[in-house]
Amino acid sequence: MLNLVIFGAPGSGKGTQSEILIEQYGLDHISTGDILRGEIKAGSELGKAAKGYIDAGQLVPDGLIIDMIEKVLGERKPKKGIILDGFPRTVAQAEALDALFAKLGTRVHAVLDLQVEEAELIDRLLKRGQESGRSDDNLETIQKRLGVYHAQTAPIAAHYAQQGVHHAIQGSGAISDITARIARVLDTLA
Ligand code: AMP
């Protein structure tokens, strides 16, 4: 099993790099943002509960997210491993994930922390908003999400550094160069 967390601020390239890693390493992809957007589209109870938080640039409460992840992990039964994208986003979620993985007899093997300058993040997200029409990719919500990232999500890096699995990756430049930096880290795990 190879369990990876792709980590970083909104717009740091988590989704883009995940797509490449899934192909290269045969991993299952779990993106909590994608799952939540699917739930909203489907009009489910979870979708209804999550929509207000997402549109306001806030995090969906830990309890809802942890229940959702537990269910998805149980359903998917990944063979080679998984890449978690957009989860965990709080230290409480990271601790819940550790416990969940321990129950399954596995762990997080590496956290790939994509580091990108704030101005570039805003630029990328505004562009994505124009192309995809994602409701939370507007300047006001982007700034709120970046604030939430610094306050609630960034502290997770220290949690994983303590476990010796945190890796900082320079996340700007060509997509293929960033993938190569990630591959160098993954090579050290083999
Ligand atoms: P993303 O697609 O990962 O940028 O997520 C979009 C939005 O979904 C976030 O701004 C949050 O409102 C919500 N979300 C996604 N993942 C999580 C999570 N792990 N914990 C709380 N909220 C989340």
Side-chain angles (χ1 to χ4, degrees), residues 14 31-34 36-37 53-54 57-60 65 85-89 93 128 134 136 145:
K14 299 188 294 292
S31 155
T32 45
D34 284 351
L36 291 168
R37 282 184 288 276
Y53 295 102
I54 293 177
Q58 300 294 326
L59 294 183
V60 175
I65 296 288
D85 166 2
F87 175 88
R89 250 186 168 94
Q93 290 181 17
R128 185 174 74 184
R134 235 179 88 159
D136 55 349
R145 284 155 63 208

Side-chain angles (χ1 to χ4, degrees), residues 21-76:
L21 292 170
I22 298 157
E23 284 285 312
Q24 287 185 347
Y25 295 87
L27 303 175
D28 238 85
H29 183 211
I30 297 181
S31 155
T32 45
D34 284 351
I35 297 171
L36 291 168
R37 282 184 288 276
E39 295 285 337
I40 291 172
K41 246 192 182 161
S44 71
E45 285 307 310
L46 174 59
K48 282 180 201 150
K51 189 177 185 330
Y53 295 102
I54 293 177
D55 287 346
Q58 300 294 326
L59 294 183
V60 175
D62 285 337
L64 291 179
I65 296 288
I66 292 165
D67 285 352
M68 180 176 100
I69 277 284
E70 191 165 6
K71 187 165 160 260
V72 171
L73 280 179
E75 284 168 2
R76 300 262 185 109

